[in-house]
Amino acid sequence: MQQVVHIDEKWFYLNPGTRRFYLLPNEPNPYMCQQSKRFKVKGMFMAAIGKTIFDTHGGVLHDGKYGVFPFVYESIAKKKSKNRDAGVMEIKATQNVNKEALREMLLTKVITGIKSKWPAHLSKDVRIQWDNARPHQIPKDEEFNEACQSDGFNIQFIYQPPQSPNLNVLDLGLFNVIQLIQY
């Protein structure tokens, strides 16, 4: 299990449909800045974690955290607003995450993050495990294969068994904690 890295992606809604607030008698209702109830602002993140590795004295050699990466893109602001000038670079959330967006995320963020934080004392045979979602198709092009095999690494992708949510480490742990903190 030391060579297995778990990856998964999750949508996070900035304002969920129902929220409960406990207010004092003289406290005003909280301000909800949502443009439309039909189109909620959301963002997708991909996370990569592995097993924590300890030394013989209980000290942490490797924390198993490879990163949480947002699906975002940069665009130039066309109009001026009260918050920014025209022509300024804006970062926007990607609303359509398909297999091309997943391929780009794997190439630019996930694989490079794993390679940069991989412990030196471990073998470079890495297994990346993710769930059996429909857009999770392993790219077969030459550039992707070269990125997985470069720098002495042998990165291979494995799938979780279908319909086995108990094996999804990220949904059971990390994403639940993030949602609790967010809400």
Side-chain angles (χ1 to χ4, degrees), residues 1 21 29 37 46 53 57-59 71-72 77 80 94 98 100 104-105 110 121 123 136 152 175:
M1 287 300 289
F21 295 97
N29 286 335
K37 289 188 178 188
M46 179 174 274
I53 301 171
H57 303 294
F71 283 91
V72 294
K80 181 181 177 179
T94 304
N98 51 18
E100 288 82 21
E104 188 66 29
M105 177 65 71
V110 175
H121 68 281
S123 168
H136 294 174
F175 291 145

Side-chain angles (χ1 to χ4, degrees), residues 42 53 101 141 177-178:
K42 61 183 180 176
I53 301 171
D141 60 296
V177 171
I178 291 173

Side-chain angles (χ1 to χ4, degrees), residues 54-105:
F54 298 97
D55 63 4
T56 56
H57 303 294
V60 176
L61 290 176
H62 179 61
D63 61 1
K65 299 173 188 171
Y66 296 102
V68 177
F69 312 104
F71 283 91
V72 294
Y73 65 95
E74 291 183 349
S75 68
I76 297 173
K78 295 177 183 174
K79 296 181 180 179
K80 181 181 177 179
S81 75
K82 65 179 182 178
N83 298 324
R84 53 161 172 65
D85 292 329
V88 175
M89 291 297 279
E90 288 184 306
I91 296 177
K92 295 186 176 184
T94 304
Q95 297 300 314
N96 185 15
V97 178
N98 51 18
K99 65 180 181 178
E100 288 82 21
L102 285 171
R103 178 191 177 278
E104 188 66 29
M105 177 65 71

Side-chain angles (χ1 to χ4, degrees), residues 90-157:
E90 288 184 306
I91 296 177
K92 295 186 176 184
T94 304
Q95 297 300 314
N96 185 15
V97 178
N98 51 18
K99 65 180 181 178
E100 288 82 21
L102 285 171
R103 178 191 177 278
E104 188 66 29
M105 177 65 71
L106 289 171
L107 271 177
T108 59
K109 304 274 175 52
V110 175
I111 292 176
T112 57
I114 290 171
K115 286 181 179 181
S116 66
K117 296 180 180 179
W118 191 255
H121 68 281
L122 287 181
S123 168
K124 292 187 176 185
D125 291 326
V126 182
R127 306 284 184 263
I128 296 179
Q129 179 177 342
W130 59 1
D131 57 0
N132 260 332
R134 186 170 297 162
H136 294 174
Q137 297 173 2
I138 301 169
K140 305 269 192 250
D141 60 296
E142 189 63 36
E143 180 186 9
F144 191 82
N145 290 336
E146 185 179 318
C148 290
Q149 304 300 325
S150 65
D151 301 326
F153 281 87
N154 180 20
I155 298 175
Q156 297 177 357
F157 287 81

